[in-house]
């Protein structure tokens, strides 16, 4: 039989393969430039606390950045310091960080472990066991540092601008003569944790707005943690040190961030059959729950023959193939492969693009 199509498979909508031939070179050049830029970025990971202490019940969904690679001199340069944080499961969060202080100030920031000192609420009363050095900590007393993170972008499996909440917290303690503020261009800050340390807390203003501020009080004080949803691209913190001051940052994103990879072997022939392999991967920090659904709308020229996979229940209505699974998918893991068999019409076009999607109602 005559060859009908190349069996192109993709998880994103697009035209047939012939359309892509020339722009593919441009795409490769763009990816090459992006790779070169990321090669010069500081890299880190993020991780949740290993136990809560007095932290809220969802403490394990907050992924705190390890900023060991922070370089204050680079952050104070004109271009700032680029960072790429790799999440559990393989998603990445990238941003540029810049630091500045009043003229004549000798204060700088450095990355510190949690807890940053014995009097800090964060790490001593709550959020135990965060690895690495997630606190950006001031070196000198009586000065102010403005820290800006811009271009914040979460990406996974080729997709960018994925949804997340940015998390920021007092990583030291805000005592008398000190203050700590966070400003977001995302949704207004919500208070996610009040961490006790003695009987006092800093004075708190701005919850429910885009700038939240802790103003220090005397004595041994607790601290706060905040979240801004809406995938903010810019977060600015001002650390005013009477003694010392520190801040810690992280993200909370969908408990399961699912990606779908679709492939096939060889070309499909008109009047014959072919098969696709579909693999669901979890880029998120947490396991799935509930039902995971894969939907594949077959293009003209292909009709459903069968579909199966361990733990999957599959069927078709016309051109729409649906497979569901209640199997729990852990962070960084794959569900069993779905094999989708199709019949190829004798009048099938020379090339098709087959699009499939994955969803989970819980996340």
């Amino acid at each position: 039989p005559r060859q009908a199509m190349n069996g192109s498979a993709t998880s994103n909508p697009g035209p047939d393969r012939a359309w892509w031939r020339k722009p593919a070179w441009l795409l490769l050049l763009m990816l090459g430039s992006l790779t070169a830029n990321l090669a010069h970025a500081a890299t880190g990971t993020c991780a949740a606390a290993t136990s809560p202490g007095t932290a809220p019940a969802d403490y394990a969904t907050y992924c705190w950045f390890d900023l060991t690679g922070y370089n204050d001199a680079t952050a104070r340069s004109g271009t700032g310091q680029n960072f790429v944080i790799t999440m559990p499961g393989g998603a990445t969060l990238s941003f540029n960080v810049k630091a500045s202080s009043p003229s004549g100030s000798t204060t700088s920031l450095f990355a510190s472990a949690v807890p940053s000192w014995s009097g800090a609420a964060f790490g001593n009363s709550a959020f135990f066991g965060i690895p690495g050095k997630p606190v950006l900590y001031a070196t000198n007393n009586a000065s102010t540092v403005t820290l800006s993170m811009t271009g914040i972008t979460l990406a996974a499996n080729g997709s960018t601008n994925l949804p997340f909440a940015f998390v920021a917290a007092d990583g030291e303690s805000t005592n008398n003569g000190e203050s700590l503020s966070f400003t977001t261009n995302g949704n207004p800050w919500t208070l996610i944790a009040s961490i006790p340390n003695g009987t006092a807390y800093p004075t708190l203003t701005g919850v429910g707005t885009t700038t939240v501020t802790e103003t220090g009080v005397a004595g041994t004080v607790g601290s706060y943690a905040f979240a801004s949803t809406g995938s903010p691209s810019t977060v600015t913190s001002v650390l005013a040190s009477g003694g010392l001051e520190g801040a810690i940052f992280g993200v909370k994103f969908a408990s399961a961030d699912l990606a779908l990879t679709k492939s096939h072997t060889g070309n499909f022939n008109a009047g014959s059959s072919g098969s696709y392999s579909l693999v669901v991967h979890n880029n998120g920090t947490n396991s799935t729950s509930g039902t995971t659904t894969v939907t594949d709308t077959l293009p003209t020229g292909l009709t459903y023959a069968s579909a199966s996979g361990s733990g999957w229940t599959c069927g078709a209505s016309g051109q729409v193939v649906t497979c569901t699974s209640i199997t729990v998918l852990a962070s960084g893991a794959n569900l069993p492969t779905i094999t989708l068999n199709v019949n190829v019409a004798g009048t099938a076009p020379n090339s098709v693009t087959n699009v499939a999607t994955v969803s989970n109602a819980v996340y």
Side-chain angles (χ1 to χ4, degrees):
R2 69 179 176 88
Q3 182 173 308
M5 61 190 72
N6 58 27
S8 173
T10 178
S11 59
N12 296 301
D16 64 43
R17 187 178 292 271
W19 188 89
W20 282 97
R21 284 180 184 143
K22 291 180 74 175
W25 290 102
L26 177 59
L27 179 61
L28 287 173
L29 291 173
M30 291 171 64
L31 290 176
S33 175
L34 176 61
T35 301
N37 289 336
L38 293 181
H40 294 91
T43 58
T45 57
C46 79
T50 57
S51 60
T54 60
D58 64 348
Y59 75 97
T61 65
Y62 302 111
C63 200
W64 304 99
F65 305 154
D66 180 4
L67 298 174
T68 299
Y70 176 79
N71 184 295
D72 197 66
T74 304
R76 291 172 185 273
S77 68
T79 56
Q81 184 178 23
N82 292 322
F83 252 96
V84 177
I85 302 292
T86 301
M87 311 285 177
T92 59
L93 186 127
S94 58
F95 55 88
N96 178 271
V97 58
K98 290 184 177 181
S100 62
S101 297
S103 177
S105 170
T106 60
T107 298
S108 60
L109 297 175
F110 68 99
S112 171
V114 170
S116 58
W117 77 295
S118 60
F122 197 104
N124 281 314
S125 297
F127 295 104
F128 302 141
I130 300 171
K133 296 181 177 180
V135 177
L136 289 183
Y137 201 16
T139 57
N140 294 344
N141 298 342
S143 188
T144 299
V145 178
T146 299
L147 188 76
S148 295
M149 296 179 176
T150 60
I152 304 169
T153 304
L154 180 64
N157 199 45
S159 298
T160 58
N161 299 317
L162 298 176
F164 64 93
F166 195 92
V167 183
D170 184 345
E172 204 253 3
S173 59
T174 302
N175 296 106
N176 216 19
E178 300 177 339
S179 66
L180 175 66
S181 69
F182 300 107
T183 299
T184 177
N185 69 347
N187 293 332
W189 294 106
T190 58
L191 179 65
I192 60 172
S194 297
I195 305 169
N197 190 29
T199 59
Y201 279 93
T203 301
L204 179 60
T205 58
V207 173
T209 74
T210 56
T211 297
V212 65
T213 302
E214 298 181 27
T215 303
V217 297
T220 303
V221 297
S223 66
Y224 299 107
F226 313 95
S228 170
T229 59
S231 307
S233 60
T234 299
V235 172
T236 301
S237 178
V238 179
L239 299 83
S241 303
L244 298 174
E245 190 63 282
I248 181 170
F249 304 95
V251 293
K252 179 178 182 178
F253 64 107
S255 60
D257 178 21
L258 302 183
L260 180 65
T261 301
K262 191 172 186 182
S263 61
H264 66 89
T265 301
N267 293 328
F268 295 171
N269 294 319
S272 184
S273 62
S275 64
Y276 292 99
S277 295
L278 296 88
V279 178
V280 176
H281 179 80
N282 183 2
N283 288 308
T285 54
N286 287 4
S287 300
T288 60
S289 59
T291 301
T292 298
T293 303
V294 170
T295 304
D296 189 333
T297 303
L298 298 175
T300 300
L302 301 182
T303 56
Y304 174 77
S306 65
S308 62
S310 177
W312 290 99
T313 301
C314 297
S317 177
Q319 295 295 98
V320 180
V321 182
T322 303
C323 294
T324 59
S325 174
I326 59 172
T327 301
V328 174
L329 178 57
S331 170
N334 296 333
L335 285 175
T337 300
I338 299 170
T339 299
L340 170 58
N341 299 308
V342 296
N343 297 316
V344 184
T347 56
N350 290 330
S351 182
V352 299
T353 296
N354 190 6
V355 178
T357 60
V358 62
S359 62
N360 184 296
V362 173
Y363 82 94

